[in-house]
């Protein structure tokens, strides 16, 4: 499995750089060899054990991108426990829900979260300890200082492929967010599949600019590189000019990003003089890659982007080929070991090539289920075991798949999923708001931007700015509406359902 493979690299290539971490100031960087990584992870395991962490326990991380995050994440999984990475943008009330729902036993957060987390503790009886780290390495070092790598020597690697090791919360069109449980077997199957399809090599150098609290940055990129024993140059924060400089100067061989990041590279000052022809692999995912960006990227950098398709519940499912045609507008072919079909959304029977239907997937990469939500888990799958993705698409006669929208009410902004009902629930709490509808409008930079259309109560006075700041205090930044339109009524059909398509026509111009 993945963790066994990683441990073997730590033994066979202890001096090779596993991660070079480059902080936000882009000054000094910290180099961690595979041998260092193993020692730090072992000390972290011993620290977690001393804190009572047992297999199956949930340990939550809401930390900025830093080495401590990586050590904790790997150590949690090595102990057979479940890592629960949380977006650093989540405000306190979302955070409280995740900790409570997952019954996390340990929580590592930023120092600045202390004052808001402490009052929550009373309603989190399962939470044994909270550690506040400022991610300056000294604090974390102090925490693991009393432990020696040998203290973890007797701890065996997890052997149960079906044991959950990672839990990613995803929202939905109904109800509260759900924890998608990924097992050691799921991660290993997807990593093996990507290793083969993308030709990961031991001498690859990955430039890593994505957040590590999501599947894309954590599993596809970081695990992908570790699974090959390759080197990761990890930027704490994405910066287009520095990324371009590093891609060329290192030189790097692999880069993975979302369309918003590729757009910023194309728009970066001086980008016109940069060639990325030397790159072995540059991928785009988490959101649809616009055709014009695909073409602009190739014209400017001499590199044809490889677009792929995945989701938190599955990891990666479809990918354009490494060798062969990388087709504009297409997410490519099923990855090794992944079955993908298109069905009629009503009958769930496969449709003919060229016909749009729901994308359904099956394979060892597909998650175990939603944490303590057997009904939602059952509803996510067909009776014969295919995962209903909620995405619409078609298969062309030669096997390439193209996405054609979504059957679910979802906005994707800069690679992050935003479910309108979540934002609408917050708007409903505003005393002046009688009704609201949240829509995604096309946006050159973000793919889509979140827009709210609001009907105020008859005698209530409010402004778009007041509503935006109300949302900002209660939602992660990327979920906060960028625009609010105040109207006297929302268009509804005979059943009373809000006509979002009509709102998009009216307000997305
Ligand atoms: C940041 N902001 C966003 C945003 N990211 N707003 C909308 N959508 C986003 N994605 C807001 C901040 O809250 C802040 O708002 C302002 O924008 C700051 O702007 P910024 O400094 O330019 O943002 P930056 O930090 O540079 O982030 C942009 C980004 C980031 C593109 C680098 O969004 C990013 O890393 N996206 C990647 C997401 C990702 O990894 N998704 C993978 C999901 S896994 P304000 O108002 O406070 O100023 C998955 C499965 C799969 O989907 O298949 O991959």
């Amino acid at each position: 499995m993945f963790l066994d493979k990683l441990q073997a690299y730590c033994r066979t290539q202890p001096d090779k750089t596993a991660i070079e971490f480059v902080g936000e100031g882009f000054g000094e960087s910290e180099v961690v060899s595979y041998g260092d990584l193993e020692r730090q992870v072992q000390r972290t395991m011993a620290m977690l054990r001393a804190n009572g962490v047992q297999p199956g326990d949930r340990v939550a991380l809401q930390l900025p991108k830093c080495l401590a995050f990586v050590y904790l994440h790997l150590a949690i999984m090595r102990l057979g426990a479940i890592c629960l990475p949380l977006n650093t943008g989540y405000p306190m009330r979302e955070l409280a829900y995740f900790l409570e729902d997952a019954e996390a036993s340990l929580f590592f957060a930023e120092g600045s979260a202390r004052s808001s987390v402490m009052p929550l503790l009373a309603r989190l009886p399962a939470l044994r300890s909270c550690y506040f780290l400022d991610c300056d390495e000294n604090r974390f070092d102090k925490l693991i200082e009393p432990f020696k790598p040998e203290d973890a020597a007797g701890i065996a690697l997890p052997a149960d492929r079906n044991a959950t090791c990672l839990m990613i919360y995803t929202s939905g069109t109904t109800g509260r967010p759900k924890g998608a449980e990924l097992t050691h077997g799921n991660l290993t199957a997807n990593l093996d599949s990507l290793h083969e399809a993308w030709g990961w090599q031991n001498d690859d150098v990955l430039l890593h600019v994505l957040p590590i609290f999501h599947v894309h940055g954590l599993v596809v990129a970081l695990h992908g590189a570790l699974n090959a024993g390759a080197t990761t140059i990890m930027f704490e924060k994405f910066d287009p000019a520095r990324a371009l400089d590093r891609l060329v100067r290192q030189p790097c061989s692999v880069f993975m990003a979302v369309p918003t990041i590729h757009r910023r590279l194309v728009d970066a000052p001086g980008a016109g003089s940069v060639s990325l022809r030397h790159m072995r692999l540059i991928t785009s995912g988490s959101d649809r890659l616009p055709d014009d960006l695909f073409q602009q990227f190739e014209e400017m950098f001499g590199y044809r982007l490889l677009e792929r398709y995945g989701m938190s519940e599955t990891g990666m499912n479809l990918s354009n080929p490494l060798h062969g045609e990388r087709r504009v507008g297409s997410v490519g072919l099923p990855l090794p070991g992944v079955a993908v079909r298109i069905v009629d959304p009503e009958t769930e029977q496969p449709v003919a090539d060229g016909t749009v239907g729901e994308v359904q997937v099956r394979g060892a990469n597909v998650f175990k289920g939603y944490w303590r939500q057997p009904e939602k888990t059952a509803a996510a799958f067909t009776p014969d075991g295919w995962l209903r993705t909620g995405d619409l698409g078609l298969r062309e006669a030669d096997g390439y798949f193209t996405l054609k929208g979504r059957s679910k009410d979802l906005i994707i902004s800069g690679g992050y999923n935003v479910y309108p009902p979540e934002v609408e629930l917050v708007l409903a709490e505003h005393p002046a708001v009688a009704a609201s509808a949240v829509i995604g409008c096309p946006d050159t930079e973000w793919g889509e931007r979140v827009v709210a259309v609001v009907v105020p109560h008859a005698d209530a006075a409010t402004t778009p700015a007041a509503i935006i700041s109300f949302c900002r205090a209660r939602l992660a930044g990327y979920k906060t509406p960028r625009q609010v339109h105040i109207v006297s009524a929302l268009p509804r059909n005979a059943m009373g359902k809000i006509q979002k398509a009509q709102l998009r026509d009216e307000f997305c111009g």
Side-chain angles (χ1 to χ4, degrees):
M1 288 200 288
F2 161 61
L3 290 175
D4 302 74
K5 224 167 148 185
L6 174 57
Q7 203 186 29
Y9 290 127
C10 296
R11 282 208 202 98
T12 55
Q13 47 177 51
D15 299 327
K16 179 172 177 178
T17 299
I19 301 174
E20 179 189 334
F21 184 80
V22 185
E24 197 171 344
F26 295 97
E28 295 262 303
S29 62
E30 186 171 350
V31 175
V32 178
S33 68
Y34 273 88
D36 297 333
L37 181 65
E38 176 65 2
R39 284 184 288 277
Q40 292 295 74
V41 170
Q42 285 177 326
R43 294 167 75 206
T44 310
M45 284 162 69
M47 180 273 290
L48 291 170
R49 258 294 161 81
N51 274 277
V53 173
Q54 294 295 321
D57 284 357
R58 280 75 55 208
V59 179
L61 308 180
Q62 194 186 35
L63 293 170
K65 198 174 177 185
C66 63
L67 287 168
F69 185 120
V70 177
Y71 302 147
L72 281 162
H73 166 65
L74 293 173
I76 294 163
M77 295 205 304
R78 283 265 292 265
L79 284 172
I82 303 174
C83 180
L84 176 60
L86 296 167
N87 190 322
T88 44
Y90 288 146
M92 210 37 63
R93 65 186 215 159
E94 285 194 68
L95 174 69
Y97 167 75
F98 297 130
L99 295 175
E100 196 169 11
D101 184 65
E103 289 193 32
S105 57
L106 224 53
F107 178 41
F108 292 84
E110 274 188 273
S112 58
R114 184 188 292 269
S115 58
S116 30
V117 169
M118 294 315 276
L120 293 179
L121 297 184
R123 58 181 263 214
L124 300 170
L127 192 64
R128 283 198 303 273
S129 307
C130 258
Y131 286 100
F132 297 97
L133 307 170
D134 273 327
C135 248
D136 66 56
E137 288 307 306
N138 293 339
R139 278 198 189 221
F140 185 70
D141 281 352
K142 285 205 185 78
L143 191 60
I144 58 171
E145 202 167 58
F147 302 93
K148 293 191 280 301
E150 305 80 69
D151 296 338
I155 304 173
L157 283 161
D160 181 1
R161 294 181 77 86
N162 293 320
T164 303
C165 59
L166 180 64
M167 198 148 97
I168 306 272
Y169 271 86
T170 65
S171 301
T173 41
T174 54
R176 309 293 305 263
K178 315 174 283 288
E181 290 187 59
L182 291 158
T183 65
H184 290 280
N186 295 149
L187 296 190
T188 301
N190 210 225
L191 285 169
D192 288 349
S193 171
L194 291 174
H195 194 84
E196 180 184 337
W198 292 349
W200 271 104
Q201 295 166 10
N202 188 256
D203 60 0
D204 270 328
V205 178
L206 165 77
L207 180 66
H208 190 297
V209 300
L210 290 163
I212 48 177
F213 44 70
H214 271 306
V215 159
H216 194 165
L218 185 63
V219 178
V220 187
L222 178 62
H223 288 190
L226 293 174
N227 188 52
T231 294
T232 298
I233 311 293
M234 185 177 275
F235 277 13
E236 183 179 357
K237 189 160 169 40
F238 169 64
D239 176 283
R242 290 184 194 274
L244 282 177
D245 175 60
R246 196 63 194 255
L247 283 169
V248 176
R249 190 164 48 82
Q250 179 73 19
C252 297
S253 58
V254 180
F255 182 69
M256 298 182 179
V258 299
T260 300
I261 288 178
H262 290 309
R263 175 82 68 195
R264 290 188 187 179
L265 289 181
V266 164
D267 291 342
S273 60
V274 173
S275 165
L276 297 178
R277 280 173 207 278
H278 65 279
M279 295 291 294
R280 199 182 64 68
L281 175 67
I282 308 182
T283 66
S284 182
S286 305
D287 193 5
R288 207 192 145 266
L289 177 65
D291 295 358
D292 68 315
L293 179 57
F294 179 97
Q295 272 144 4
Q296 252 180 305
F297 197 96
E298 186 171 14
E299 277 160 27
M300 181 160 277
F301 300 124
Y303 189 93
R304 199 168 169 87
L305 286 170
L306 181 148
E307 187 175 3
R308 56 59 173 183
Y309 161 76
M311 58 196 291
S312 300
E313 286 88 340
T314 61
M316 302 301 99
N317 299 308
L318 291 157
S319 172
N320 274 276
L322 180 67
H323 306 293
E325 186 195 356
R326 299 183 186 179
R327 189 172 295 173
V328 61
S330 168
V331 284
L333 307 151
L335 281 161
V338 185
V340 184
R341 68 177 192 178
I342 304 289
V343 300
D344 180 305
E346 298 298 318
T347 64
E348 295 208 305
Q349 290 306 306
V351 295
D353 287 345
T355 308
V356 175
E358 186 186 40
V359 181
Q360 298 192 339
V361 299
R362 198 161 69 172
N365 58 312
V366 177
F367 79 135
K368 183 156 119 179
Y370 294 113
W371 170 254
R372 292 182 180 164
Q373 301 258 22
E375 277 145 34
K376 293 211 164 131
T377 302
F381 290 92
T382 65
D384 51 347
W386 292 81
L387 177 73
R388 302 175 168 126
T389 65
D391 287 311
L392 300 175
L394 60 80
R395 182 184 180 278
E396 289 167 45
D398 60 2
Y400 278 70
F401 285 75
T402 303
L403 298 181
K404 293 284 179 191
R406 300 161 201 137
S407 60
K408 55 195 174 195
D409 192 10
L410 166 69
I411 300 167
I412 304 183
S413 171
Y416 288 133
N417 290 358
V418 182
Y419 282 85
E422 262 193 286
V423 185
E424 288 157 2
L425 278 176
V426 167
L427 288 166
E429 290 172 25
H430 191 290
V433 173
S436 73
V438 170
I439 52 173
C441 287
D443 187 280
T444 323
E445 182 180 8
W446 299 104
E448 286 179 297
R449 64 180 182 280
V450 179
V451 173
V453 185
V454 165
V455 181
H457 285 295
D459 46 4
T462 188
T463 61
I467 290 176
I468 289 173
S469 70
F470 181 86
C471 291
R472 189 182 293 275
R474 291 162 178 81
L475 288 165
Y478 65 93
K479 296 182 187 172
T480 300
R482 299 207 160 230
Q483 288 166 320
V484 171
H485 298 280
I486 296 189
V487 297
S488 56
L490 293 168
R492 294 180 189 266
N493 67 11
M495 310 292 289
K497 190 171 182 293
I498 297 168
Q499 303 295 88
K500 289 201 171 177
Q502 203 173 315
L503 290 175
R504 279 189 283 270
D505 286 346
E506 194 172 336
F507 294 106
C508 290

